[in-house]
Amino acid sequence: MNDFSKRRTHLAHLSDEELKEYFFKLLEEITEPILSMAKKYTSPSLERSILLRMGFSSLEAQAIVTHALREDLLGHGAGHLVLKYAELNNLPLRDAGLKLASDEGWAELKTFWSRQVKANQEGV
Amino acid sequence: MLIPEEKINIQELLKDLEHYHPRRKGWTWREKIENQKLSFFKYEDTSKNLKHSLSLPASRQMFNLDPQPNPVITVEIASGRLEDDIRRMRMAAWHGADHMMVIRTLGQSHFDGLIEGTPEGVGGIPITRKQIRATRKALDLIEDEVGRPINLHSYVSGIAGPEIAVLFSEEGINGAHQDPQYNILYRNINPLRSFVDAAEAKLIMSHSQMLQIDGAHNANATAKHGFMVMPELLVQHGINCMYSLRVGMDSRYIALSTVPPSAPPFPALSLDLPYAVAVRELFSDFRFRAQMNTKYIESCAREATVNHTLNTFISAICGADIQSTITPDEGRNVPWHYNSIHAVNTAKQTLIACDGIRNYLEFKEEGPFREKVRELKERAVLFLEEIKNIGGYFKALEAGFFVDSGYYPERVGDGIKRPVNGGNGANSIILRENDYLAPVCYHFGDNHLPENIEKPCDLIDGCSMCYPGKIQYIDELDEVDNVETRLSQYQKTEKEHLFKPEVQWRNDGIVLLSLFLPLPEKKVVPAARLMAQKLGLINVEVIHKQVLHPAEGSFVEVRGEVDFYLNEDEIEVEEKIPLLSDDEIRQEVESRGGIKVIAATLGEDEHSVGLKEVIDVKHGGIEKWGFEVIYLGTSVPPQKVIDSAMETGSRVILASTTITHGNIHQINLKKLTSYAIEKGVRDQIVIIGGGTQLSDEIAQECGLDTAFGRGTKGIDVASFIIRSLKVKNN
């Protein structure tokens, strides 16, 4: 329904500058919940972008993230998984990533994080 | 280094790409020159001139000036092949484009990951690391050739946004489209995924000072009528701007993509101007990329060009940081080479024409114009209030708030509805665990880094954003579909110097035939097809038809392909002797104490317009340089012309004639030269023939020094006279 003249009454008294401020205030309010969601979530593409920055190729990043999704470990961060695997096996970072890309080592990571969860549950 | 006389060597460019890194990152604006003085003029809004460029056609009469407007000018590049894209970029740069917007292949936005190699695309090109490197490397050479930095641009959209942003940042892409709303509305990518990915992508882009361009203008093209969605456009711009700012982008690197939403026969400026002012006032802290209208583009290139001129006029009077261009053929085919260049020139021509206009005009502060501006802003505010009241952005999306054809607050109910759990990539976002960690720079959001580090990538001895050496380069994944294979197909023709005309790809053979056919409308298209086929063209298609009168006939444009090659070695070079300068001619005339010229039309010829054009000072004729012209009139007998030359001591004869039945013109010209020989003065006098259809062959046959045909200017004749007299003196 075109009720513009009625709906605008509360805006009529605002100066151009005030209207602009109000416009941006509304935008801030609308984007706020989206922004907090983005802080808390990640995505396969986001995680691959981290692996790229760590020096892996697009194909390697694709493989690591696919395996991590299968193992339900991506929430820890793909880069984190590579770091942890390197640490557990005393491997250079790149070698660790390549092993994970070729589908090695996932059981070990899975075990590591299930122990972590258990330890957390037991309050250790 | 590129040599202007030589083609760019694509094979050479492809060498050593694995070691190539961009020599700079980030967006570059033109270097403004305040009150630039060029020739007689002072330009108010121009930038540094180019080292090499091609000026507008009319500049031939204007000292070959090629002033460069202040806004960056965009050219769309969409051949679908890397090797042809690069050639077009070089041509566009010479005409004044410094923003190469490389369109992506159809479907890349739904590709969940990066594409590698150099496969051929459809309607654009697959954007890959190799493609960007080769292009950026070519642009390094091209920008050195023209003498101005060139921005390379593509799209951080689709389902692989963060990866593409990393790729772009690593490879020195200077500008990119990024707008999660575009993904959701026009690519049906899941809303949550789009916003999660966008935050990361934007932060990465900001690291390398990439200029971000939003996607709001697409609502114009998608909605039933562009001008109806004006309030929504302000809302979409606002959401992307605010989201970008809060993620950490600097407003100087956030550009709004704005398009004048209407076109004639709507009263276009009365709709477009208030909108242009409203959007610029609301977003005064941001940058503006003005795009040309695509919504109302049909197959008529003339109509498109007028609309695009009007669009650019709005940019000139309201201000724009970037003037983007749409090719005038976009309504009928993928952009062709020369249409990309036409579009760039439409922008350059209009902006230069409007130089300084903002110092002369201002909008009325009261009255209907101002009211319209205010109304648009208020409608946008009401739109935002409703988004808030319904429970936020995602609820508004689900309710179909966007791209509704009603003029908000009116709603028609045909908006695009996107459920929060629907679309490509639905349910693909993952909650970060309590120990979530990302050991790289420019990562957005929760990250549980150890406390003892200075920057995140200390954990991994540096990330690729800080150390480009870490980047992994993949050359090709497809053995057949790649640039090398395509180039090898050209090897034979290139080696033998064979060529065809082209509009898009090397040797595509495409030509355009323009026809007026005196037929009723229903017969025009089949007749045009037949005509083109009889001319030997294959794959013929009528791409434009305009009825000039229902009974008298129509104008049609037919695209067809040439089925044969020519050999470059067999083509004769057209020798063009350079013209002398004004000063050289004037000095020579003066040093000889003036040069007398006898001018006449010969025999029974009353046509003297052409002759007067090359004589009269007001038409730029030879009198301008001080030649003394003795005009004998029309229909003068050849003998009288020679006698007069001898009596007056004239060293030059301009004899004009029209082509006649029975070759009377040739007989008269021959009489002229043979009489001069008879009198023993042929060697001392420069005898020049003139006429619309005279050729070098006729001139030679008749014993003239030369002949000038249609389109001759005084400068051509004056230069020839001076050169010939110098030779005769020797």
Side-chain angles (χ1 to χ4, degrees):
Chain A
M1 202 180 92
N2 193 355
D3 51 358
F4 173 63
S5 53
K6 216 189 291 167
R7 283 187 44 192
R8 73 175 288 269
T9 44
H10 68 295
L11 304 175
H13 71 281
L14 296 178
S15 71
D16 261 7
E17 209 39 52
E18 286 164 344
L19 190 71
K20 184 172 169 176
E21 269 171 37
Y22 182 43
F23 178 78
F24 279 97
K25 188 177 152 273
L26 286 167
L27 284 170
E28 242 184 278
E29 287 169 18
I30 289 167
T31 51
E32 178 56 40
I34 314 179
L35 213 70
S36 16
M37 171 199 69
K39 283 178 186 161
K40 292 191 197 91
Y41 284 82
T42 185
S43 82
S45 176
L46 199 160
E47 291 306 317
R48 289 192 298 259
S49 85
I50 285 158
L51 294 170
L52 287 177
R53 279 175 270 181
M54 290 170 73
F56 292 98
S57 75
S58 63
L59 298 178
E60 292 154 3
Q62 185 75 259
I64 295 170
V65 167
T66 305
H67 300 320
L69 273 171
R70 183 195 62 205
E71 302 296 337
D72 203 17
L73 290 172
L74 203 58
H76 301 286
H80 192 186
L81 301 179
V82 177
L83 266 181
K84 185 56 68 186
Y85 188 65
E87 186 189 300
L88 292 174
N89 294 280
N90 203 18
L91 283 169
L93 196 71
R94 178 145 179 84
D95 293 356
L98 291 180
K99 276 194 188 296
L100 291 175
S102 58
D103 211 6
E104 286 175 50
W106 290 98
E108 198 179 337
L109 283 178
K110 193 86 186 161
T111 314
F112 171 80
W113 261 290
S114 56
R115 277 194 196 132
Q116 287 292 108
V117 173
K118 218 171 149 198
N120 285 344
Q121 281 166 355
E122 286 166 6
V124 178
Chain B
M1 198 177 85
L2 294 176
I3 299 168
E5 292 77 21
E6 286 176 17
K7 288 189 160 63
I8 191 165
N9 187 332
I10 306 289
Q11 291 281 12
E12 199 56 42
L13 269 178
L14 296 172
K15 281 186 192 158
D16 263 344
L17 279 180
E18 64 270 34
H19 300 122
Y20 173 83
H21 291 297
R23 58 185 181 185
R24 68 158 194 284
K25 287 190 181 184
W27 183 263
T28 310
W29 298 104
R30 292 186 178 187
E31 208 176 300
K32 184 172 181 171
I33 298 189
E34 301 283 349
N35 298 320
Q36 178 161 217
K37 206 170 173 320
L38 293 174
S39 173
F40 297 123
F41 309 105
K42 204 173 75 187
Y43 289 85
E44 292 175 28
D45 295 319
T46 57
S47 56
K48 207 176 131 193
N49 281 331
L50 293 183
K51 204 158 71 183
H52 283 116
S53 74
L54 286 161
S55 48
L56 294 168
S59 71
R60 269 177 231 140
Q61 302 172 54
M62 303 172 194
F63 324 106
N64 294 313
L65 290 179
D66 192 18
Q68 301 292 314
N70 213 29
V72 164
I73 293 180
T74 316
V75 63
E76 273 184 293
I77 302 288
S79 83
R81 290 180 179 176
L82 162 69
E83 58 278 22
D84 296 303
D85 274 359
I86 288 173
R87 295 162 59 226
R88 189 179 304 193
M89 289 181 198
R90 190 183 183 198
M91 297 187 257
W94 273 64
H95 284 265
D98 52 349
H99 181 203
M100 305 297 168
M101 187 168 287
V102 183
I103 311 298
R104 297 201 304 183
T105 185
L106 198 72
Q108 185 159 5
S109 51
H110 286 162
F111 195 88
D112 198 2
L114 295 182
I115 301 175
E116 302 283 0
T118 53
E120 185 175 309
V122 179
I125 193 170
I127 300 293
T128 71
R129 192 179 296 277
K130 182 174 180 181
Q131 172 268 336
I132 297 169
R133 276 195 188 184
T135 308
R136 189 60 256 178
K137 192 176 163 193
L139 289 178
D140 291 350
L141 295 171
I142 296 169
E143 62 185 23
D144 287 346
E145 185 182 34
V146 298
R148 179 167 64 199
I150 294 173
N151 295 296
L152 178 58
H153 181 112
S154 196
Y155 298 72
V156 179
S157 56
I159 200 156
E163 291 152 276
I164 291 173
V166 167
L167 170 70
F168 283 12
S169 181
E170 289 171 343
E171 300 298 336
I173 290 260
N174 312 89
H177 278 77
Q178 212 301 316
D179 189 339
Q181 300 164 100
Y182 171 84
N183 273 355
I184 298 164
L185 293 171
Y186 311 109
R187 291 289 173 264
N188 193 17
I189 292 170
N190 176 259
L192 302 175
R193 171 77 180 261
S194 289
F195 273 92
V196 168
D197 282 353
E200 185 81 1
K202 286 174 191 295
L203 192 63
I204 296 163
M205 287 169 69
S206 74
H207 150 69
S208 51
Q209 280 102 44
M210 234 182 276
L211 186 82
Q212 173 187 268
I213 294 180
D214 68 18
H217 64 282
N218 290 283
N220 266 327
T222 314
K224 198 170 165 198
H225 283 303
F227 64 88
M228 289 294 204
V229 291
M230 291 187 295
E232 175 186 333
L233 293 174
L234 299 174
V235 167
Q236 283 202 32
H237 285 308
I239 288 170
N240 197 51
C241 283
M242 183 53 77
Y243 196 64
S244 306
L245 279 179
R246 301 193 70 197
V247 162
M249 273 190 156
D250 180 329
S251 65
R252 290 171 303 168
Y253 293 96
I254 301 174
L256 284 77
S257 176
T258 181
V259 179
S262 73
F266 288 144
L269 292 190
S270 74
L271 296 161
D272 296 344
L273 271 176
Y275 175 72
V277 170
V279 70
R280 281 162 178 80
E281 284 182 356
L282 271 182
F283 296 93
S284 53
D285 295 338
F286 299 85
R287 298 285 191 168
F288 282 86
R289 174 260 195 160
Q291 176 61 299
M292 293 169 170
N293 190 295
T294 52
K295 168 86 182 164
Y296 299 111
I297 197 167
E298 296 286 329
S299 63
C300 179
R302 183 210 61 78
E303 184 189 41
T305 298
V306 173
N307 282 339
H308 295 163
T309 306
L310 289 169
N311 296 163
T312 313
F313 175 69
I314 290 175
S315 306
I317 54 180
C318 299
D321 301 293
I322 303 173
Q323 180 60 54
S324 285
T325 62
I326 293 291
T327 64
D329 59 341
E330 197 166 296
R332 61 198 204 183
N333 45 245
V334 293
W336 289 359
H337 288 324
Y338 62 84
N339 285 313
S340 283
I341 305 306
H342 282 337
V344 169
N345 280 328
T346 298
K348 180 167 80 172
Q349 189 178 343
T350 312
L351 290 170
I352 286 300
C354 297
D355 183 73
I357 199 166
R358 298 181 76 192
N359 295 333
Y360 309 139
L361 297 180
E362 59 187 16
F363 292 105
K364 288 191 174 177
E365 274 309 312
E366 276 172 16
F369 175 79
R370 221 345 100 190
E371 285 161 19
K372 280 186 187 177
V373 174
R374 169 80 187 199
E375 184 184 321
L376 285 168
K377 294 178 190 171
E378 288 185 5
R379 284 177 187 266
V381 166
L382 294 177
F383 199 126
L384 287 176
E385 282 182 339
E386 199 183 355
I387 292 177
K388 201 182 134 192
N389 293 340
I390 200 175
Y393 175 76
F394 295 117
K395 292 275 182 228
L397 260 181
E398 288 190 319
F401 271 30
F402 296 95
V403 205
D404 183 290
S405 18
Y407 186 42
Y408 190 83
E410 186 200 4
R411 284 197 190 283
V412 173
D414 60 353
I416 298 173
K417 289 182 184 170
R418 298 296 188 208
V420 74
N421 289 321
N424 206 313
N427 306 312
S428 65
I429 61 165
I430 295 152
L431 191 65
R432 297 182 196 184
E433 302 281 353
N434 291 334
D435 65 347
Y436 178 88
L437 175 68
V440 293
C441 296
Y442 306 100
H443 172 60
F444 179 78
D446 295 351
N447 195 2
H448 301 278
L449 292 161
E451 275 169 8
N452 55 348
I453 52 167
E454 267 180 42
K455 54 179 183 172
C457 75
D458 286 350
L459 280 174
I460 56 165
D461 297 325
C463 65
S464 68
M465 306 300 255
C466 308
Y467 302 96
K470 285 219 159 182
I471 299 167
Q472 296 288 322
Y473 178 77
I474 293 175
D475 191 58
E476 297 286 355
L477 294 177
D478 191 318
E479 280 176 23
V480 183
D481 191 3
N482 63 56
V483 61
E484 301 285 352
T485 313
R486 288 193 301 273
L487 289 176
S488 70
Q489 289 166 358
Y490 300 135
Q491 260 171 11
K492 187 177 175 292
T493 53
E494 215 160 283
K495 215 166 141 194
E496 294 173 15
H497 300 169
L498 300 178
F499 70 93
K500 274 185 183 184
E502 68 167 84
V503 298
Q504 185 188 0
W505 294 339
R506 174 154 291 169
N507 295 336
D508 61 28
I510 296 172
V511 296
L512 184 67
L513 194 61
S514 301
L515 305 166
F516 170 78
L517 297 175
L519 298 174
E521 187 185 350
K522 284 182 177 169
K523 288 195 173 173
V524 166
V525 170
R529 252 188 245 126
L530 195 61
M531 190 71 73
Q533 281 157 357
K534 282 211 157 192
L535 282 165
L537 301 179
I538 57 168
N539 299 327
V540 161
E541 190 190 336
V542 174
I543 55 173
H544 174 58
K545 180 186 80 178
Q546 190 158 21
V547 177
L548 302 196
H549 182 272
E552 298 294 351
S554 292
F555 172 67
V556 270
E557 288 181 294
V558 191
R559 163 218 180 279
E561 287 166 37
V562 166
D563 199 17
F564 56 86
Y565 287 93
L566 291 182
N567 189 325
E568 194 184 331
D569 300 337
E570 290 163 11
I571 307 292
E572 272 183 48
V573 175
E574 199 184 19
E575 286 298 352
K576 224 178 160 188
I577 304 161
L579 299 171
L580 299 180
S581 72
D582 284 355
D583 287 345
E584 278 175 291
I585 300 171
R586 203 167 280 127
Q587 277 165 17
E588 193 62 26
V589 173
E590 268 172 34
S591 73
R592 289 169 180 269
I595 295 172
K596 286 183 182 166
V597 178
I598 292 288
T601 61
L602 290 187
E604 303 292 308
D605 188 355
E606 295 297 325
H607 299 89
S608 61
V609 178
L611 182 61
K612 286 184 175 162
E613 289 265 323
V614 299
I615 296 173
D616 283 1
V617 67
K618 70 174 181 202
H619 298 302
I622 61 171
E623 288 178 338
K624 173 178 160 188
W625 296 279
F627 287 91
E628 186 187 331
V629 181
I630 301 151
Y631 178 60
L632 301 182
T634 57
S635 305
V636 182
Q639 287 86 344
K640 193 185 166 193
V641 175
I642 300 297
D643 292 342
S644 304
M646 289 168 68
E647 282 161 25
T648 55
S650 298
R651 298 286 313 273
V652 183
I653 291 172
L654 300 180
S656 171
T657 177
T658 47
I659 298 288
T660 49
H661 295 295
N663 282 346
I664 305 288
H665 61 286
Q666 290 210 29
I667 295 168
N668 278 329
L669 288 169
K670 274 183 193 163
K671 270 189 196 166
L672 186 73
T673 52
S674 50
Y675 191 65
I677 294 167
E678 210 180 300
K679 288 283 175 182
V681 293
R682 178 66 189 91
D683 292 347
Q684 287 127 53
I685 302 179
V686 181
I687 305 181
I688 299 168
T692 52
Q693 293 172 53
L694 283 193
S695 63
D696 278 345
E697 289 76 35
I698 295 174
Q700 269 185 8
E701 214 177 291
C702 300
L704 301 170
D705 287 271
T706 192
F708 286 105
R710 200 187 289 278
T712 301
K713 299 268 188 291
I715 184 82
D716 303 313
V717 178
S719 298
F720 182 81
I721 293 173
I722 298 297
R723 285 211 170 90
S724 306
L725 285 176
K726 281 185 177 171
V727 172
K728 285 199 188 280
N729 281 357
N730 293 339

